[in-house]
Amino acid sequence: MVLIGWALYYLFHSFESPLPWTSCNSTWNTDTNCFGGFFPRNGTNSRSSASQQFFDHKLLNQTDGIEDAGGVQWELCGYLALAWVIVYSCIFKGVKSTGKVVYFTALFPYVLLFALLVNNVRLPGAEDGILYFVTPVWSKLFEVKVWVNAAAQVFNSLGVGFGCMVSMASYSRYNNNVLRDALLVAGINSFTSILAGFVVFSAIGYVAHTYNLPVDNIATGGPGLVFVVYPDVLSTMPLSQLWSALFFFMLLCLGLDSEFANVEVSVTFIKDEFGPQVLRYLKREELLTLAVCVVCFILGIPHVTRGGIYIFQLMDHYTAVESLMVLASCEVIAVCWIFGVPKLSLMIKKMLGKAPHIYFRLSWLLLCPALMLVIMVSSVAQHTSTRYGMYTYPVWAEVLGWGIALVSVVWIPVGAIHEICHLKGSFLQRLKTASTSTVEFEVDSESEKRNLHSTQPGV
């Protein structure tokens, strides 16, 4: 939601002429270090582009480190509040209203992506950027970090491990074709990522051509790509105000889609687990959704202080990879090994009328758990300290980061210990009972019954 607030900030400033991130003559610029146009940042050069200074000194107004939080930036806080108002207005009636809004917020970005692509490929130097994007560097395939980052990217874009898929799927029809939907969602997600890559790198190639720089000097990651490099790209195009407004409106739509699902997860969980108790006080589900949005807005306020970017980077570093990998690994192991592939296959057979293909069953039994365990161990083993630009975080901030990562992970062992302690028998008996699924099925044949009992003796 902080990113959506930033996108709103840039969206409203896109209607100014000239665009505010193109000039070095504004009050937030440092006269001696500002460069009107793109200028590569590295460890030996202290100069920065006008768009970089707009991001650092105007949008963020950042302090020197996480030790100095500074005050709340009330303008950014207002944009964050506006973002939450938009989210609440779209979802307060539940998944029915969300579904109608998503028809626009999910489909309209594709119109803008194709429009940007058509515009970008006509620019000089676009071919160089696209070739840089599609040319493989085979040695990278042997770097574990590349695979960990790839998994984190796919998990974040699909919502794996966040509960979004499970929460939204719980509203589907019983006989909904989940296998078809899974393939469609995964395929569309990959297609969208590749399409966005062509859009971004065609524009980066154009900037490299304009300033006579290598493409790899301009390609960057993190918020800098969206809020520094791309605004600078858009400012050099004809009708720059129009393209800037469309680009940041597209970001707004994409961010809202993600946040609809995240809020729905929280609301669905509270209703399922504590519905009667909560609704006794709040009376209506709309008020429950409002309470979730207000609490989340309050939790976002530290990110819109002058030192908020350092908190943002710290949370992004620790929660977007490490804790997500642990959560997803535990979820896969619980479903595929503890609940069991035979039960999962039987459920799908009862829903769809036929058993899942052998590929899915082998993936659930061996491939997915093995891959998740390797990625989880690798992500923790290759952990690096947090950095933001040239700033290195102090030790206490790193400890805080691990604490933030554990907030969502610690409940798995705590829940397991709680379950074991409340059972009767010896420790091994309690451990076996706690790790055995208690879901029961009406089996239709002796073969199904044998399959279930052969793999799940506790059923």
Side-chain angles (χ1 to χ4, degrees):
M1 286 302 289
V2 174
L3 289 172
I4 295 176
W6 293 356
L8 283 170
Y9 185 93
Y10 273 82
L11 175 61
F12 285 110
H13 281 80
S14 295
F15 298 101
E16 297 180 17
S17 183
L19 292 170
W21 50 82
T22 59
S23 172
C24 285
N25 299 321
S26 303
T27 55
W28 60 82
N29 294 124
T30 55
D31 297 333
T32 56
N33 293 330
C34 185
F35 182 87
F38 184 85
F39 199 89
R41 300 184 76 188
N42 53 52
T44 60
N45 202 316
S46 61
R47 301 186 72 187
S48 57
S49 66
S51 60
Q52 182 71 56
Q53 293 206 1
F54 179 84
F55 180 73
D56 291 340
H57 306 311
K58 176 61 175 174
L59 171 72
L60 302 178
N61 192 21
Q62 66 188 49
T63 58
D64 295 329
I66 196 172
E67 303 90 343
D68 182 9
V72 175
Q73 296 195 86
W74 294 110
E75 186 178 8
L76 270 187
C77 189
Y79 282 113
L80 180 63
L82 176 60
W84 276 112
V85 169
I86 295 172
V87 168
Y88 178 73
S89 301
C90 295
I91 67 171
F92 75 101
K93 286 294 185 182
V95 291
K96 291 185 177 180
S97 63
T98 304
K100 295 175 183 177
V101 175
V102 166
Y103 276 115
F104 176 79
T105 58
L107 296 177
F108 185 67
Y110 285 99
V111 177
L112 295 182
L113 280 173
F114 279 110
L116 285 166
L117 181 62
V118 171
N119 177 75
N120 291 356
V121 295
R122 298 184 295 107
L123 299 172
E127 181 181 355
D128 296 333
I130 292 174
L131 286 175
Y132 180 84
F133 173 56
V134 300
T135 303
V137 181
W138 299 111
S139 60
K140 293 285 186 181
L141 294 177
F142 298 99
E143 297 180 15
V144 176
K145 186 178 180 181
V146 171
W147 292 96
V148 172
N149 289 339
Q153 158 64 23
V154 172
F155 281 25
N156 278 279
S157 58
L158 279 177
V160 175
F162 288 89
C164 304
M165 292 287 189
V166 178
S167 177
M168 291 298 183
S170 68
Y171 293 97
S172 297
R173 300 185 309 275
Y174 175 76
N175 59 348
N176 185 55
N177 194 332
V178 291
L179 297 181
R180 179 201 61 199
D181 288 355
L183 290 172
L184 280 174
V185 170
I188 292 171
N189 176 69
S190 297
F191 167 76
T192 306
S193 297
I194 294 170
L195 174 63
F198 279 102
V199 172
V200 169
F201 278 90
S202 58
I204 287 177
Y206 166 63
V207 174
H209 173 82
T210 302
Y211 296 111
N212 196 26
L213 291 169
V215 174
D216 56 357
N217 273 26
I218 297 174
T220 184
L225 176 62
V226 175
F227 296 102
V228 177
V229 175
Y230 217 84
D232 193 48
V233 172
L234 296 169
S235 66
T236 62
M237 294 180 181
L239 301 174
S240 57
Q241 281 82 7
L242 173 63
W243 288 115
S244 295
L246 289 175
F247 176 74
F248 288 110
F249 183 70
M250 178 186 71
L251 286 184
L252 174 63
C253 292
L254 294 172
L256 289 175
D257 278 342
S258 300
E259 200 56 35
F260 292 161
N262 289 333
V263 174
E264 192 60 43
V265 169
S266 302
V267 173
T268 301
F269 160 71
I270 295 172
K271 286 194 299 184
D272 288 351
E273 193 72 17
F274 309 105
Q277 300 94 312
V278 172
L279 293 177
R280 188 185 308 158
Y281 297 99
L282 296 179
K283 306 301 181 184
R284 301 177 62 179
E285 291 186 7
E286 291 89 338
L287 294 178
L288 173 59
T289 305
L290 177 62
V292 171
C293 291
V294 170
V295 170
C296 291
F297 165 70
I298 293 171
L299 292 174
I301 290 178
H303 295 270
V304 292
T305 60
R306 291 184 59 208
I309 185 61
Y310 302 104
I311 303 172
F312 175 92
Q313 186 70 15
L314 187 71
M315 289 192 65
D316 182 61
H317 184 80
Y318 280 96
T319 61
V321 180
E322 273 84 359
S323 60
L324 180 58
M325 293 301 150
V326 174
L327 287 169
S329 299
C330 293
E331 185 174 347
V332 166
I333 292 170
V335 173
C336 297
W337 287 352
I338 297 178
F339 183 74
V341 172
K343 284 187 179 181
L344 193 59
S345 301
L346 181 58
M347 287 177 64
I348 292 176
K349 183 178 180 180
K350 288 182 176 294
M351 293 166 63
L352 306 182
K354 60 180 181 179
H357 192 272
I358 186 66
Y359 165 77
F360 287 105
R361 284 178 282 165
L362 287 176
S363 295
W364 296 332
L365 184 63
L366 300 173
L367 188 60
C368 291
L371 282 175
M372 285 309 311
L373 287 172
V374 169
I375 292 173
M376 179 185 70
V377 172
S378 300
S379 65
V380 174
Q382 298 209 354
H383 171 78
T384 57
S385 300
T386 318
R387 296 179 66 89
Y388 179 69
M390 301 301 295
Y391 174 75
T392 302
Y393 283 72
V395 175
W396 67 263
E398 297 285 348
V399 174
L400 176 64
W402 279 112
I404 293 171
L406 290 173
V407 163
S408 56
V409 175
V410 72
W411 304 108
I412 297 173
V414 168
I417 294 170
H418 177 270
E419 181 73 14
I420 292 171
C421 291
H422 280 70
L423 294 172
K424 296 180 180 179
S426 66
F427 176 76
L428 289 178
Q429 289 174 329
R430 287 183 288 172
L431 182 62
K432 182 179 179 180
T433 303
S435 59
T436 301
S437 172
T438 57
V439 177
E440 297 194 9
F441 293 91
E442 292 181 6
V443 292
D444 299 329
S445 66
E446 282 299 318
S447 62
E448 288 181 353
K449 186 175 181 180
R450 284 195 302 269
N451 287 337
L452 280 174
H453 278 273
S454 64
T455 55
Q456 298 290 336
V459 176

